[in-house]
Amino acid sequence: MEIRQVRHFVAVTTHGSFTAAARAEVIVQSALSASIRKLERELGAELFERTGRRPVLTPAGAAFLPAARALLAEEASAREAVSAVTGLTSGRVAIGTIQTLTSVDLPAELAAFHRVWPGIQISVIDATTAGLLDALLAREIDLAYLALDDSALPGGLTGFASWQEELVLMTSPEHRLAGAGRTLLSDLVAEPFVDFRAGTGLETSVHRLAAGCGLHRRITCEVTQIRLLADLVRAGIGVAIVPRQVAEWAGLPSVRIRQPDPPRTVVLAGRSPAPANPAAGALLAHLTSGSGPARTRSPLQRLTASRTNGDRS
């Protein structure tokens, strides 16, 4: 049994699909599937049921998951011990993020960090807030950007910084409210909505906001990618409630929502006030120093620009 096989198994449970896990592990899906098949042969049992649309843990897989997470935690502890005596000339840090992070330009921040500490390997995990919380508590990642809304961090976790993000109504350029500037949630009763899959951080924020105002939204389409959500709104299939900068980066009208003012809270969190992993401590110091790079284009903005230049992959 190899650590990478265990990491691939846990990645599938964290991300909910072989495709998303392969993307997070930066390998092709066929290689990840082969790695898990080899692990199953070595353990003598199938770990996932693969008959449905999404892989589901078998009883053997559910029994193996706690041990797998413990193995990865031990590996992380071993790496931290070595990093502590190598002066950060090497090491590894894992950071999680919600897909709709707009408060921080994470790619630019990580690039600046890499220029200072080129020997540190950085892993970036894109998952839901619930998945990131589980990964933090299981020591699979060191830090994470979470969308918490009104809920508090679970015990054992520490918040290092927080931001308030305004939620706005994003519409197509031709929509009747595109130039309105402001609107009430009660004015949106008849509107079709494009929304994120249930359980994601943004969907939870929007659901809480709508429920608090008695708005029962008619969901036309559910998606898992922010770029696709923006493209569907642009095509006129529905409107969406998103952080203001998402609408700005997509080049779509943003309408301020009145009564109430709807912020959401994004928190940078970790397991303790001082990370045991020296590489994580260095990254945390960089992210909270206030001296990071100036904001550059977001991933969505870069994708939008690439589409304009002919890249439609």
Side-chain angles (χ1 to χ4, degrees), residues 139-160:
R139 296 177 58 84
E140 294 165 12
I141 58 178
D142 300 288
L143 303 166
Y145 287 98
L146 312 168
L148 292 180
D149 300 316
D150 289 336
S151 57
L153 278 171
L157 297 183
T158 299
F160 302 111

Side-chain angles (χ1 to χ4, degrees), residues 104-299:
V104 176
D105 188 342
L106 188 57
E109 293 288 0
L110 295 181
F113 177 77
H114 175 70
R115 287 192 291 270
V116 178
W117 305 107
I120 295 178
Q121 180 182 351
I122 306 169
S123 296
V124 182
I125 307 300
D126 173 355
T128 65
T129 291
L132 294 174
L133 284 170
D134 288 344
L136 274 174
L137 292 170
R139 296 177 58 84
E140 294 165 12
I141 58 178
D142 300 288
L143 303 166
Y145 287 98
L146 312 168
L148 292 180
D149 300 316
D150 289 336
S151 57
L153 278 171
L157 297 183
T158 299
F160 302 111
S162 64
W163 299 263
Q164 293 289 318
E165 296 184 340
E166 180 188 10
L167 298 180
V168 300
L169 182 73
M170 182 170 68
T171 75
S172 68
E174 297 79 19
H175 193 273
R176 64 181 180 86
L177 293 174
R182 292 172 178 263
T183 188
L184 296 170
L185 283 174
S186 57
D187 294 335
L188 308 178
V189 173
E191 290 293 334
F193 277 81
V194 182
D195 204 1
F196 268 95
R197 173 175 53 84
T200 59
L202 181 57
E203 187 275 339
T204 302
S205 299
V206 174
H207 179 78
R208 178 180 61 86
L209 171 64
C213 296
L215 173 64
H216 300 284
R217 293 175 300 141
R218 178 164 60 91
I219 308 299
T220 300
C221 189
E222 287 186 341
V223 299
T224 58
Q225 294 294 322
I226 187 63
R227 175 179 174 178
L228 179 56
L229 181 143
D231 285 343
L232 289 170
V233 171
R234 180 179 289 105
I237 195 171
V239 298
I241 297 176
V242 298
R244 177 177 291 279
Q245 286 179 304
V246 169
E248 292 176 352
W249 289 336
L252 291 173
S254 61
V255 184
R256 188 171 184 181
I257 301 171
R258 295 187 298 171
Q259 298 178 10
D261 186 29
R264 76 164 180 169
T265 301
V266 173
V267 176
L268 173 61
R271 281 186 299 278
S272 63
N277 177 3
L283 179 57
L284 175 62
H286 171 79
L287 293 174
T288 57
S289 66
S291 58
R295 184 178 297 278
T296 59
R297 293 189 299 174
S298 72

Side-chain angles (χ1 to χ4, degrees), residues 32-113:
L32 181 134
S33 297
S35 174
I36 293 178
R37 284 292 190 191
K38 183 178 179 182
L39 176 62
E40 289 176 323
R41 288 195 298 271
E42 293 175 354
L43 292 174
E46 290 193 353
L47 301 175
F48 294 103
E49 294 180 3
R50 299 171 171 84
T51 55
R53 294 178 60 186
R54 300 173 66 84
V56 177
L57 286 172
T58 63
F64 180 60
L65 182 58
R69 285 176 163 162
L71 284 171
L72 294 182
E74 288 295 327
E75 183 212 17
S77 295
R79 288 181 179 274
E80 291 167 7
V82 173
S83 294
V85 297
T86 58
L88 290 179
T89 57
S90 63
R92 180 174 179 174
V93 58
I95 184 168
T97 179
I98 52 174
Q99 187 183 152
T100 55
L101 178 68
T102 64
S103 304
V104 176
D105 188 342
L106 188 57
E109 293 288 0
L110 295 181
F113 177 77

